[in-house]
Every structure is written in structure tokens, then in C-alpha cells.
Amino acid sequence: MDLIQDKYRIISVVGMAKNAGKTMTLNALIDEAMELGIRLGITSTGRDGEKQDIVTFTEKPLIYVDEGTLIATTEETIKSAEAKLEILEVTDQRTAMGRVIIAQAKTPGHVQIAGPGNNKEMKEIADRLLVLGAEVVVVDGAIDRIAAASPAVTEATLLATGAVLSRDMDQVMERTIHQTRLFSLPKLEDLLAREIAESILEDKGVCIINDAYEVETLEIKTALGSGRMIGGAFCEDTQYVIIGGSLVSRTLKDIMECTSRYKQVVFVVKDATKIFIEPRDWMYFMKAGIQIRVMEEIHTLAVTINPYAPQGYFFQPQEFLGKMRQFLSPIPVIDVVLGGE
């Protein structure tokens, strides 16, 4: 909470995989807020707080809230709350588990939380929780674990990682370092290009901007599977490629195979949650001269680590913590079970 209090009003807790320790991180955050008397608002991009993971069937830590905590959840999940809840609002937002409801905990207790499935609705709910009295809103990234970190929703994020990613500690570190680097990708500073890109990104299309800031909109709905068409549209004066949806390795490889002009071009995406490129592919692209910018960078408050995997293996906690701190510095690394930063 020291990293959050008086600095950010809406933050996310996202995990790099199931069982990376995201719910443990969320509970640690709730505990600190309770001790400091900070009133939280909590919601989720999907279902969380159930006793057993509904995908892996492993035991999960329950979400425990204090009296006064504001919760945005669904009609179905609100019925299973152990804490007594007072309904404050029934919103017009609908999910597979019913309408989104905003409630206040009248007693401490365990709850399940679920929320909207898209960024626009999530931001509306988070803003509403602030209006109703939350000092800090925490968005739990339960379905798409990284999407809740989008600056369209939250101002900063806590990233949970752990042994579940791989039995090889070096692999876990590599993937975590890669994710934090994606989150800190530099923003597009060209103001004129940013203005053009704003409208394109809303439509999830693809367009090319030349040195004279003339725009060519390509007749494709998504960059996925369209790398050769995008590369084939490059000219000598091509300056930017604005990609409204996701950016994946195959798209960049296809572009590189059909034109050598990719080195002079800057690829622009909305934010790092739209990039799906594995660490080794990323290193290859960087060495090849690929340039990528984002419209909004993601501020990583800290990385939390879980040295235990549900498959039964684990890393030595102090060794894992020490190595992660060494390689992720200056980003704080925290083991919420061991405590300390």
C-alpha cells in the first residue's frame, strides 16, 4: 500500500498464469488496507475468490474483505458471499453470471468477485466505486490475466509470477523480465501521429502513415494473418504502422520475409496487453531492428512471486526472491508470504 496510497486510485493485480499467486497478492493488499484504514473497492475481470479453481480444481485462497469494503460483483456470485452485503446499486451491465451489482460489506468475511468482460465497462465500474466512497479500487485480472493492466482501465499494476510458469527458475525469470519490459515499452511521442492513431486504434484496423502524415487504411480487419499484406504496402516513405488489435510473432515474421523496409518503420499498438510475443522471438525482433511503440505505457508498481507450483515442485524461496530482485531492479519484488520488499 505504500507504493499505492496517495499516488494511484485504480490499480490492477494481474497474474502471468493461473496459480502464480495473484489471489495471495490481492489478499495481502486487502490486509494492508485494513490495517491502514483505507477503504477499498474491489472488482474483477472474471470470477475469483472461489474455494477451488474451476479450471485446475486446485485449492485457492479465498478473498477476505473488511467491513465497509465496496464490491462490484455479479448476481450469481453475490449469493455465495459469507460476508453480509448491502446492495447499493444494480447496474445495467450484464455478464454470463447476471447483472453487475455494487455492494458494501456490512460484516467482515469471504466473498467471490466477478465483473464485466471488457475494458470500457470495467473502467465505468471502477469509476463508480470511487464515486461511492472507495479510496483505492483494485481490479482483479481473473479471466485474461494481463488485460486488466491496460491503461484504459487502471493507472498501475501489480504483476504476480511464480514457479507455475516452469520447473526451470531461469525460464520463470526470463518470462517475467520479458513481461515487465513489454509493460515499460516507450510511448509514441510524435503528437501528430498519435492524433491519427487514436481513431484507428478505436476501430481495431490497420493503417500506414508516411513521412508527410498521409494515411493509407488497409482493407483488413485485423493484423492477424495479414503480415504479408501489411509488408507489401510499405513504401520508401512509410513511417508508422498503426495496429488496432493484437500484435503477434507471425505477423512480424511475415512482414520481415516480404520487405526489408521494416527497419525504417515504427509499429504502434494501443498498449502492451495487445502484444503476444514470446521472449526469444522478442529478442530476435529487437536484434533485427524492429521498432515498437505504445500509445500508453503500463506502470508496474511491483512484482510478487510465488515459489510454489500446484504440480508439487517449488523453488527455494530466498534464492528465488534474491535472483528476481537482482534481475528486475529497480522494480520492487515481494514475496507476500515471506514479507518485506
Side-chain angles (χ1 to χ4, degrees):
M1 287 305 300
D2 290 342
L3 297 168
I4 300 165
Q5 194 176 9
D6 302 323
K7 302 180 186 74
Y8 305 101
R9 301 195 72 196
I10 307 174
I11 66 114
S12 57
V13 180
V14 299
M16 291 191 60
K18 275 187 171 293
N19 301 298
K22 176 179 60 61
T23 305
M24 289 286 288
T25 299
L26 177 59
N27 277 329
L29 199 60
I30 293 169
D31 287 345
E32 283 194 20
M34 287 167 61
E35 290 175 8
L36 294 168
I38 297 169
R39 192 183 190 196
L40 291 183
I42 304 172
T43 190
S44 173
T45 56
R47 183 173 186 154
D48 216 337
E50 67 274 16
K51 291 183 180 180
Q52 189 180 68
D53 191 297
I54 59 176
V55 175
T56 62
F57 300 104
T58 54
E59 288 297 312
K60 292 190 59 179
L62 294 164
I63 293 174
Y64 185 88
V65 298
D66 196 12
E67 179 184 351
T69 303
L70 295 173
I71 301 159
T73 190
T74 62
E75 289 175 296
E76 182 180 321
T77 52
I78 203 169
K79 298 172 186 175
S80 58
E82 295 175 11
K84 290 184 179 179
L85 302 177
E86 176 191 4
I87 295 175
L88 302 180
E89 287 186 11
V90 178
T91 74
D92 294 329
Q93 295 185 12
R94 294 182 178 274
T95 74
M97 291 180 283
R99 291 171 295 181
V100 176
I101 292 173
I102 299 177
Q104 177 180 226
K106 301 303 288 183
T107 64
H110 293 105
V111 296
Q112 290 187 32
I113 52 173
N118 65 62
N119 286 352
K120 180 176 180 293
E121 291 183 346
M122 181 58 63
K123 183 64 166 65
E124 289 173 359
I125 291 294
D127 287 341
R128 191 63 192 149
L129 287 168
L130 290 174
V131 169
L132 290 170
E135 296 172 68
V136 176
V137 172
V138 182
V139 177
D140 172 80
I143 292 178
D144 184 336
R145 306 197 127 55
I146 299 299
S150 170
V153 180
T154 58
E155 300 164 355
T157 193
L158 293 167
L159 178 66
T161 187
V164 69
L165 271 67
S166 172
R167 291 177 179 269
D168 184 341
M169 188 188 296
D170 289 339
Q171 285 287 321
V172 176
M173 290 194 295
E174 180 183 51
R175 289 180 61 183
T176 306
I177 291 166
H178 172 62
Q179 192 61 61
T180 59
R181 284 176 177 167
L182 289 183
F183 279 2
S184 60
L185 275 173
K187 287 172 64 172
L188 175 65
E189 299 292 349
D190 186 326
L191 295 180
L192 188 50
R194 285 184 65 87
E195 185 178 335
I196 296 169
E198 288 286 357
S199 59
I200 299 297
L201 290 170
E202 286 300 317
D203 296 334
K204 296 186 178 180
V206 177
C207 79
I208 289 174
I209 304 174
N210 66 16
D211 291 343
Y213 293 93
E214 296 169 334
V215 180
E216 178 187 357
T217 301
L218 301 186
E219 295 300 317
I220 54 177
K221 292 183 178 180
T222 171
L224 298 173
S226 303
R228 292 188 176 278
M229 184 179 293
I230 295 169
F234 286 8
C235 301
E236 288 185 9
D237 62 352
T238 298
Q239 184 176 196
Y240 298 107
V241 176
I242 312 299
I243 297 175
S246 300
L247 178 62
V248 300
S249 294
R250 186 71 263 164
T251 300
L252 290 177
K253 287 177 180 178
D254 285 347
I255 290 171
M256 292 170 68
E257 286 173 5
C258 71
T259 179
S260 61
R261 290 176 177 150
Y262 66 86
K263 292 183 179 180
Q264 72 193 33
V265 172
V266 175
F267 296 88
V268 182
V269 295
K270 189 173 181 65
D271 59 64
T273 68
K274 303 298 183 184
I275 301 173
F276 299 93
I277 299 174
E278 291 297 313
R280 293 185 184 181
D281 280 347
W282 183 263
M283 293 301 296
Y284 166 71
F285 293 138
M286 294 304 99
K287 288 178 181 178
I290 292 283
Q291 303 175 70
I292 301 175
R293 296 291 182 270
V294 293
M295 293 294 285
E296 300 295 338
E297 61 185 314
I298 296 169
H299 181 55
T300 307
L301 285 171
V303 172
T304 64
I305 61 169
N306 177 12
Y308 298 92
Q311 296 89 336
Y313 65 88
F314 65 93
F315 303 142
Q316 202 286 322
Q318 289 287 3
E319 178 190 6
F320 187 38
L321 180 61
K323 285 188 174 181
M324 291 293 279
R325 284 178 174 171
Q326 177 186 349
F327 287 101
L328 286 173
S329 178
I331 298 172
V333 179
I334 301 166
D335 184 321
V336 296
V337 175
L338 287 177
E341 175 190 318

